[in-house]
Amino acid sequence: GQNIDQPTEMTATEGAIVQINCTYQTSGFNGLFWYQQHAGEAPTFLSYNVLDGLEEKGRFSSFLSRSKGYSYLLLKELQMKDSASYLCAVRDSNYQLIWGAGTKLIIKP
Amino acid sequence: TAGITQAPTSQILAAGRSMTLRCTQDMRHNAMYWYRQDLGLGLRLIHYSNTAGTTGKGEVPDGYSVSRANTDDFPLTLASAVPSQTSVYFCASSETTGANVLTFGAGSRLTVL
């Protein structure tokens, strides 16, 4: 079966750095996505990785290792507004998105 | 910029009743999707449409139907609601089926009693 695993919840301190991990087992691979979802709101696109390595976009970076079936989202200089759920998704060989359950990130002052 | 508009925002429905969740986008995206989001689970695809006039079944299509009469609208119908259909429903769209970015609507919270 297809599976996306990510931690249920993480806590971090304002101004710090946090790494949210995602491991996947899917039928084929056509890209990995990270979305941010604030409570009660719609998911919004953060990043896309299809090749191994690090993609940096401001305070957020996303890393992919296809051989390990592993990705992480790195958030630097955490702000209170970063409190949200972070969803990992993989596009499989049929170009369907398989979604993880999300990681709820709690930022403390 | 409106993006995707979903209605209603929330609804309480008696079991056995029918309900249509509306979804309209103004971005002229070809592909549209309906997902449900339940606590502890990832988003699950109900139905999708690659372009106007075509629809397809996703991971959890039973009990739901969709239509795509034009580019902008993609309504989701529950013919006879059951309590297990209590969920938050998100409509989404992308420029094409293989596009990298999905744009989501604000969601419709449905409670079936």
Side-chain angles (χ1 to χ4, degrees):
Chain A
Q2 307 203 91
N3 196 50
I4 309 286
D5 284 319
Q6 48 182 135
T8 302
E9 186 174 297
M10 299 182 69
T11 302
T13 303
E14 189 177 17
I17 299 173
V18 71
Q19 177 175 312
I20 302 173
N21 296 325
C22 171
T23 57
Y24 63 89
Q25 292 177 306
T26 57
S27 302
F29 179 85
N30 281 297
L32 185 142
F33 303 81
W34 285 96
Y35 278 74
Q36 181 189 58
Q37 184 178 24
H38 285 100
E41 298 184 8
T44 56
F45 173 80
L46 283 178
S47 68
Y48 165 68
N49 294 69
V50 68
L51 300 176
D52 290 351
L54 189 69
E55 294 281 344
E56 297 185 81
K57 192 184 295 185
R59 294 188 298 114
F60 292 9
S61 303
S62 56
F63 172 83
L64 174 67
S65 169
R66 289 172 296 171
S67 63
K68 295 181 179 178
Y70 168 71
S71 172
Y72 67 73
L73 181 68
L74 191 71
L75 292 72
K76 302 177 184 176
E77 302 169 15
L78 286 170
Q79 301 175 10
M80 297 303 292
K81 68 179 182 179
D82 297 330
S83 292
S85 288
Y86 292 86
L87 314 181
C88 175
V90 172
R91 189 160 57 195
D92 68 11
S93 57
N94 293 320
Y95 270 74
Q96 295 294 334
L97 281 174
I98 311 301
W99 295 82
T103 298
K104 182 178 181 180
L105 178 63
I106 299 168
I107 310 296
K108 295 187 174 180
Chain B
T1 303
I4 295 184
T5 302
Q6 288 187 235
T9 303
S10 66
Q11 182 76 43
I12 298 173
L13 188 67
R17 300 297 294 269
S18 66
M19 175 76 195
T20 294
L21 303 180
R22 300 183 298 279
C23 174
T24 300
Q25 53 109 353
D26 64 359
M27 298 171 286
R28 307 302 294 174
H29 283 176
N30 285 310
M32 297 188 75
Y33 315 85
W34 273 105
Y35 286 94
R36 59 179 289 172
Q37 187 174 43
D38 301 291
L39 197 63
L41 298 177
L43 289 163
R44 290 184 290 169
L45 183 65
I46 304 170
H47 284 286
Y48 65 93
S49 169
N50 292 331
T51 189
T54 70
T55 62
K57 294 181 179 181
E59 180 186 356
V60 289
D62 294 344
Y64 306 95
S65 63
V66 292
S67 62
R68 187 87 184 276
N70 56 61
T71 297
D72 298 343
D73 300 300
F74 191 44
L76 177 74
T77 297
L78 290 69
S80 179
V82 295
S84 62
Q85 292 178 310
T86 294
S87 188
V88 180
Y89 292 86
F90 285 101
C91 180
S93 71
S94 59
E95 287 188 20
T96 62
T97 303
N100 290 338
V101 180
L102 289 183
T103 300
F104 285 83
S108 295
R109 181 176 294 274
L110 181 66
T111 301
V112 182
L113 302 175

